[in-house]
């Protein structure tokens, strides 16, 4: 995975995969990189774009809780790793993207990038120590967190983090 540059991540989040990255950490990082974050009613969870020299992260204003943070971190990951040339305008949609309109190779690239951004968000939210702590808790009543933990375990198998 060319993508997972832990050193690049830790320049921004020194405690990535050590302690949970919070909403506050996200806002602080956006401020540091002068990313403009907007919360609007969108037809997708979120997207990020670069326009006229500024970076934007847009988040669906209907999202809350884990879903909000997951989307915010997913988009931040695109900023960190997928932003092309500084002078280019671009936009990354959070899903659904138009699967039929992109060629196979391109499609694989896009899918790998999306999977990676999801993995980044999950690791940020549920670092290993947190996952181990939660393994001893009864999560049967907390379906959302339980599902996140299950996905996080898959990420560990896929990326080794
Ligand atoms: Zn994405």
């Amino acid at each position: 995975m060319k993508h997972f540059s832990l050193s690049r991540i830790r320049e921004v989040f020194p405690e990535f995969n050590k302690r949970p990255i919070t909403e506050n950490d996200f806002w602080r990082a956006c401020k540091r990189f002068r990313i403009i974050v907007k919360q609007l009613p969108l037809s997708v969870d979120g997207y990020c774009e670069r326009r006229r020299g500024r970076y934007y992260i847009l988040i669906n204003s209907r999202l809350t809780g884990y879903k909000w943070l997951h989307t915010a971190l997913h988009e931040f990951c695109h900023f960190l790793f997928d932003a092309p040339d500084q002078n280019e305008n671009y936009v990354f949609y959070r899903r659904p993207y138009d699967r039929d309109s992109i060629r196979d190779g391109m499609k694989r690239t896009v899918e790998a990038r999306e999977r990676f951004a999801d993995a980044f968000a999950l690791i940020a939210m549920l670092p290993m120590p947190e996952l181990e702590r939660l393994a001893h808790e009864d999560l049967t009543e907390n379906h959302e967190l339980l599902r996140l933990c299950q996905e996080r375990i898959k990420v560990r198998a896929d990326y080794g983090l």
Side-chain angles (χ1 to χ4, degrees):
M1 258 315 135
K2 78 174 168 82
H3 256 118
F4 246 129
S5 164
L6 208 49
S7 58
R8 173 81 176 119
I9 295 169
R10 290 214 166 121
E11 281 169 23
V12 184
F13 300 116
E15 301 198 272
F16 183 79
N17 206 23
K18 292 179 186 166
R19 69 155 179 85
I21 306 303
T22 64
E23 225 172 290
N24 273 344
D25 298 320
F26 166 77
W27 286 111
R28 215 173 296 130
C30 287
K31 203 173 167 189
R32 173 175 161 192
F33 291 100
R34 299 171 187 277
I35 300 167
I36 298 161
V37 181
K38 288 187 175 172
Q39 305 191 72
L40 302 164
L42 302 170
S43 59
V44 290
D45 289 343
Y47 63 96
C48 74
E49 64 178 344
R50 183 177 171 83
R51 210 160 14 94
R52 291 191 289 274
R54 300 302 311 258
Y55 289 103
Y56 296 83
I57 288 178
L58 288 96
I59 302 171
N60 191 328
S61 53
R62 281 182 284 264
L63 300 183
T64 56
Y66 295 124
K67 188 83 180 144
W68 188 95
L69 186 57
H70 187 277
T71 299
L73 293 168
H74 174 110
E75 299 309 332
F76 191 86
C77 181
H78 285 316
F79 162 77
L80 211 51
F81 289 102
D82 303 325
D85 188 275
Q86 296 252 322
N87 300 313
E88 255 175 72
N89 290 337
Y90 70 88
V91 54
F92 288 120
Y93 285 96
R94 169 84 176 86
R95 270 199 295 267
Y97 45 89
D98 187 357
R99 284 163 195 273
D100 297 331
S101 70
I102 36 186
R103 286 170 291 114
D104 270 5
M106 183 62 188
K107 183 168 150 181
R108 270 196 301 278
T109 308
V110 169
E111 282 175 354
R113 196 162 64 200
E114 290 309 302
R115 256 203 324 277
F116 171 75
D118 279 342
F120 172 89
L122 274 169
I123 296 168
M125 293 167 76
L126 290 173
M128 271 321 279
E130 183 69 1
L131 193 66
E132 279 157 14
R133 191 183 68 76
L134 289 170
H136 302 285
E137 306 230 333
D138 180 13
L139 299 179
T140 44
E141 298 295 307
N142 196 340
H143 298 280
E144 207 184 354
L145 187 54
L146 185 62
R147 194 184 51 78
L148 282 177
C149 286
Q150 286 161 346
E151 283 177 21
R152 176 64 180 87
I153 289 163
K154 279 186 226 153
V155 166
R156 173 135 182 97
D158 290 347
Y159 295 89
L161 277 173

